[in-house]
Amino acid sequence: EFFIGGYIGIFLICRIDDITKQDAQQYACHLQNLLDAIFDEYTFDLISSEEIEKILNPFSINQLFTITRRVGRERLDMLGGGRHKPQLGFIKGIELKQTDINFPTNEILHIYPFTPNYSDFGNLFKLLLLESAPIIVSIRLKPTVLAAKEIYFLEEQIARCEKYAQISLEQAPEDLSLILPPLKEQAHLYEGFQTRLLYGLKDNAGIMTIEIASPEKIPGPIIDTLGTLITEPAGGKEMNVYEVPKHYLTGGYEIFELTDSQPAIEAFKKSDITIIPDPIVPPDAVRLPYLFDSIESIAAFRFPPSTIEGYPGINCQNWRSKTIPKDCSEAGCFLGINIHRANAFSVRLSDDDRKRHIYIVGQTGTGKTTMLKTMILDDVRQNKGLCVIDPHGDLFKELLGKIPKNRIQDVVILDPTDIDYPVGLNMLEWENENQRYFLAQEMVSIITKLIEDEYGPTSIGQIAGPIFFNHMRMNLLLVMSNPDDPGTLLEFYNIYQERDYWKRWIPLRVTDQLLERWVSNVLPQTDYTKSGGDNPSMGVYIGSKFQGFAFDPLLRNIFGQKHSTIDLKMIMDKGKILLVNLAKGELSEPNSRFLGMVLLAKIMATAMERVKTPEHQRREFNLYVDEFQSLATQSFITLISEARKFGLSLVLANQFISQIKDERIPSAIFGNVGTIICFRLGQADAEYMQRAFYPVFNSFDLTNLPNWHAYIKTLIRGQAVEPFSIKTVLDTTPFDERIVKEVRVSSRRLYGRPRSIVEKEIAKSFGNI
């Protein structure tokens, strides 16, 4: 753990002597793969040789300490005998000289094992961050094997313990202390520790040192915090009165200061291991306080555990990544890249799996538009047909400047702000009776949604009751009764503003008993312009719901044209590109939504007509709708479940689920949509969405995703696969103003009409409004 300049870095350095640079690089890659496989919650990056040099020698060392196990000469013939050892640690200078030590037969060398603490690294990190000087904590572990003299030493110690543990109680000796049961128990405890040390180190021994260095004086609390992080004090943190002797023979630590030892400082810089002989340890056992097996060494040689809160000074990634399934499609729409363990893979969704639709959700600014742009431009380059409905206008404008030249002629622009060449979109055009009734009912649904969104879901009965909807529905059917001379929404509006305006559709050109009864019995008795005292006329009451688009010249010149200049069936069948600008800043929000809902209704009606076309002849068409919840009527539920049958694939996006007022729509999405992509969510949405991603990802992951990262749950060849992570890719196609002009000129020429001509036709149709 390395601290400098207000942050904490954690490095794992592997040193292998006497190998080539190429072999070292291969070992590094293999080690990284091993770490990635074991530690799923961590991310490991390779560092260069130059960086290693800076890590090991970042400053001139002014103070150096090492933390070791505590050791003691313990007597076997008396309780608690031997030199007193502190529960924690104390600092003492280095002692490089050592005299020969002969242990009496009633004494042993007891090496107190570390008791892993598994406590939080947070306190140590906070202390390090509070220091003005940089500090290095270096924990070094080197594989080794027990020497023959070390094995003999441990075996001889075990024999001494066994001797005192086997004292006979058949005949009481003169020295009554020899018959005390606690002495036998103490001997057994010492024997157990010695035996475990012997067998553990025979299997896998390693020399481990714990050192801490700084260019300035190291505060004692930092050393003690590090020591207590590695091992519990003697007796443990929690007392157990029934195991006191055993607990007091473990834990604690000792501290040696190495500041005056230049060899120790040089060894520290070279990542060598320095063993400091303890004066009470015999020469044959000098390494034993530094020898650890794999189980005990994890008390110190370990990474900070991954926690929800993270650690101060460390750049913690509070979300998880997951690798892409190996059999993911290599063709289809490009979504982004999957990055996991420094490996990057392209993520594509096949055309067949895409037919089950895509739902994208996430907070604003997290990457939804970037992903939509990537998908749209990929479709454009693959010569696919698509429609983009943009409620903000930014995506629409950017796409115009990135259209490939070979597809300029395929672009159809529906932009209400282009007042000089408005396109025509007649909601009330139809091809057969089923479509006529569908469009009339959809118009009722549009007005219903606008009223509910404006005044609340409970207001519909107060503002527009059965009589309102009956007049609306029947008069829509009336205006649509002449297929050779289709009426418009403006003409429908004018029925309520001009007395007997409805008679221009008499005699009826369709056979419809309900409509015939309406024009014979109801309309002759109805005067929409007549007011009732203080109450407004019925025409004012009904017409007020449509005044927004009737008086807005941007929409009036679009809806007032009798024949649509945009042929949606042709656009779908020939794979054209329909770009729709619903910029709320240039249109009012209600008018923007109204245009979007009318267009969506026409697309639904056109798509359903494709059922008459053989399935193999239905060209796939992709519909992108951002902020779709503002345009979704009741029929939208049917579209989600049925659209793929008509060759229509949906890509729906919005910011959060609670935006969707109709509870049936989320149910339809999660029941029918094959691909769900989640960017960062709020807590409420994360708890809702984790049901789709659990157990791979949970609500904590969903609320902590960084920008431009998402989780995806999708299908591969129709089969659900485990969710995985995805990163958006910023499209680098340069924006070209010349392309924008060419696209607009082409679309105006093919689909727009001069404003002067459109306004003359509207005025001639029913007079100025």
Side-chain angles (χ1 to χ4, degrees), residues 24 40 50 63 86 156 235 268 341 395 470 490-491 525 587 598 602 651 683 750:
D40 187 58
E50 294 75 15
Q63 202 166 41
E156 200 274 335
F268 181 88
R341 302 305 186 195
L395 176 60
N470 189 43
L490 294 182
E491 290 178 317
Q525 308 299 322
L587 293 168
V598 168
K602 291 289 288 184
V651 181
Q683 187 62 42
L750 296 173

Side-chain angles (χ1 to χ4, degrees), residues 323-622:
T323 188
I324 190 174
K326 62 180 180 180
D327 53 352
C328 191
S329 175
E330 296 181 359
C333 182
F334 179 63
L335 303 181
I337 56 174
N338 169 256
I339 301 177
H340 183 72
R341 302 305 186 195
N343 298 315
F345 301 94
S346 176
V347 180
R348 291 186 176 271
L349 189 63
S350 69
D351 291 340
D352 287 339
D353 292 327
R354 188 175 179 179
K355 292 177 183 178
R356 291 295 300 270
H357 314 311
I358 302 172
Y359 174 52
I360 304 174
V361 61
Q363 295 175 339
T364 181
T366 55
K368 297 191 305 301
T369 302
T370 300
M371 176 172 283
L372 288 173
K373 192 188 313 175
T374 298
M375 297 171 63
I376 292 166
L377 291 174
D378 191 66
D379 281 349
V380 170
R381 297 186 188 104
Q382 295 187 49
N383 294 316
K384 294 182 179 180
L386 64 138
C387 170
V388 179
I389 301 178
D390 179 19
H392 305 294
D394 295 335
L395 176 60
F396 165 84
K397 293 176 182 177
E398 188 167 357
L399 291 174
L400 288 180
K402 296 191 174 187
I403 300 296
K405 289 192 174 183
N406 66 312
R407 299 218 64 187
I408 289 177
Q409 301 297 317
D410 290 335
V411 178
V412 183
I413 297 177
L414 199 171
D415 184 4
T417 64
D418 186 1
I419 59 177
D420 294 328
Y421 286 86
V423 300
L425 181 66
N426 188 357
M427 169 74 171
L428 306 184
E429 274 186 307
W430 52 278
E431 296 182 4
N432 55 57
E433 284 295 313
N434 289 335
Q435 195 176 87
R436 184 166 75 99
Y437 282 105
F438 172 81
L439 290 173
Q441 184 56 43
E442 189 62 16
M443 191 66 196
V444 171
S445 297
I446 289 172
I447 296 301
T448 300
K449 180 170 178 58
L450 288 174
I451 293 174
E452 289 179 342
D453 290 349
E454 181 72 19
Y455 301 104
T458 61
S459 64
I460 193 67
Q462 302 170 0
I463 296 176
I467 295 178
F468 168 85
F469 287 119
N470 189 43
H471 280 263
M472 179 182 171
R473 186 180 296 107
M474 296 308 298
N475 287 333
L476 281 169
L477 292 173
L478 174 63
V479 174
M480 300 168 69
S481 61
N482 186 355
D484 298 325
D485 185 19
T488 66
L489 288 175
L490 294 182
E491 290 178 317
F492 164 75
Y493 169 79
N494 213 40
I495 288 177
Y496 303 103
Q497 310 304 313
E498 185 178 327
R499 184 178 175 82
D500 296 334
Y501 189 81
W502 59 272
K503 289 184 179 180
R504 64 172 53 196
W505 286 280
I506 304 301
L508 293 176
R509 272 73 169 181
V510 294
T511 302
D512 186 333
Q513 292 183 352
L514 287 176
L515 187 57
E516 290 174 357
R517 187 181 306 164
W518 179 259
V519 299
S520 299
N521 301 331
V522 179
L523 288 182
Q525 308 299 322
T526 304
D527 184 358
Y528 289 116
T529 63
K530 182 179 180 181
S531 60
D534 295 334
N535 297 322
S537 66
M538 182 179 291
V540 172
Y541 168 65
I542 297 177
S544 63
K545 310 302 184 296
F546 307 93
Q547 283 179 346
F549 67 82
F551 282 94
D552 188 338
L554 298 181
L555 295 188
R556 185 171 66 227
N557 290 343
I558 293 175
F559 294 139
Q561 300 184 48
K562 282 186 171 293
H563 296 283
S564 298
T565 61
I566 295 177
D567 185 348
L568 293 175
K569 186 176 187 304
M570 180 275 296
I571 290 174
M572 288 186 183
D573 292 344
K574 293 189 176 181
K576 300 293 184 180
I577 303 169
L578 176 57
L579 302 180
V580 184
N581 179 21
L582 299 182
K584 299 174 183 178
E586 299 174 83
L587 293 168
S588 66
E589 183 171 352
N591 285 354
S592 171
R593 295 173 57 204
F594 182 75
L595 174 57
M597 285 189 281
V598 168
L599 176 63
L600 200 56
K602 291 289 288 184
I603 291 174
M604 291 169 60
T606 304
M608 288 188 288
E609 283 301 306
R610 303 180 87 191
V611 73
K612 300 174 183 178
T613 305
E615 186 173 355
H616 67 279
Q617 295 181 12
R618 299 174 198 160
R619 184 166 181 170
E620 293 299 322
F621 191 80
N622 303 306

